[in-house]
Amino acid sequence: MKDALFDISIMLIFASAIAFLIGLFLLFIENKRKFAVKLLIGSVIIFLIGFGTCFATFSIGPLH
């Protein structure tokens, strides 16, 4: 179960990074600014959740 949770959190981190970059790009388009801000805020929240899950399930072998 930990491996599946770790894999899902890694995918969340990458998806939020892509959404963040798209939000930065859309920030410079005049009529998409509200959507860009919502996308940036959401991607940061998803990144924090994914990073926290990834950190909580990280294991370095028999030491942890």
Side-chain angles (χ1 to χ4, degrees):
M1 181 65 181
K2 276 190 165 187
D3 290 336
L5 202 57
F6 184 75
D7 293 339
I8 291 170
S9 63
I10 291 291
M11 286 187 277
L12 275 176
I13 290 171
F14 283 124
S16 69
I18 292 169
F20 186 80
L21 291 175
I22 292 171
L24 283 178
F25 177 72
L26 290 177
L27 197 60
F28 295 109
I29 298 174
E30 191 73 29
N31 59 353
K32 299 285 186 179
R33 285 219 170 124
K34 280 188 175 182
F35 177 70
V37 170
K38 290 177 187 178
L39 192 63
L40 288 171
I41 291 171
S43 67
V44 168
I45 291 170
I46 297 289
F47 179 79
L48 291 174
I49 291 170
F51 185 76
T53 305
C54 184
F55 188 74
T57 59
F58 184 70
S59 176
I60 38 180
L63 298 176
H64 186 261

